[in-house]
Amino acid sequence: MSTDVVVLNGGSSSGTTTVARALQGMLDDAWLLLGVDDLVDALPRQGPGAAATITFPPDGSVQVGPVFMRVQEAWTAGIAAIARAGVGVLVDDVLLGGGASQARLAAALSGLDVLWVGVRCDADVAAAREAGRPDRVRGMAVAQAEAVHRGVRYDVEVDTSRASPQDCARVVLAALAGR
């Protein structure tokens, strides 16, 4: 397998992490799973630096500040460095800007073989999952369900509202094998 990075993009509560974990368990080699949630968890939670990074208003939107963009650029450079060092990376992401976000990530991963995976989920299904998660802002799943896919080009797409995470992971695995 010549793929260096697998990017799984889907809205909040769409199942990207669960599919990525299932895929990770099916791969022959040790692949690292690095997600946007890891990046958000690493950001400052209080103090002056926190407000300039990312906020989650009660309407389910996500607002990123100028500092977040700089931090995210460093984060993606780190992901690319890991892949260039010979370790496969599964990137669990939410491309808030759709195609523009994909273009920024693709530029950071330039020269690497990347498989782009769209993880779709019906907004109602994602909203029900979101309701069961205390760490989620209500409305985020519905707001992101389609928006994160606008203008994004994929090599393969899966739908977690119609297939299990394991079945979705098998579809991605087959796409990897076909490269």
Side-chain angles (χ1 to χ4, degrees), residues 26-90:
M26 295 175 185
L27 293 165
D28 291 335
D29 204 356
W31 283 63
L32 297 180
L33 172 56
L34 299 173
V36 68
D37 288 342
D38 299 319
L39 170 59
V40 171
D41 287 345
L43 293 170
R45 297 191 186 282
Q46 54 188 339
T53 57
I54 190 168
T55 57
F56 303 96
D59 66 356
S61 64
V62 177
Q63 296 175 350
V64 297
V67 173
F68 180 83
M69 298 306 288
R70 182 174 53 84
V71 170
Q72 185 182 43
E73 186 177 318
W75 173 261
T76 55
I79 289 171
I82 292 168
R84 287 189 179 98
V87 177
V89 182
L90 303 173

Side-chain angles (χ1 to χ4, degrees), residues 3-8 23 31 89-91 114-115 117 172 176:
T3 303
D4 304 302
V5 178
V6 176
V7 177
L8 297 100
L23 177 61
W31 283 63
V89 182
L90 303 173
V91 178
V114 180
L115 179 77
V117 181
V172 177
L176 283 168

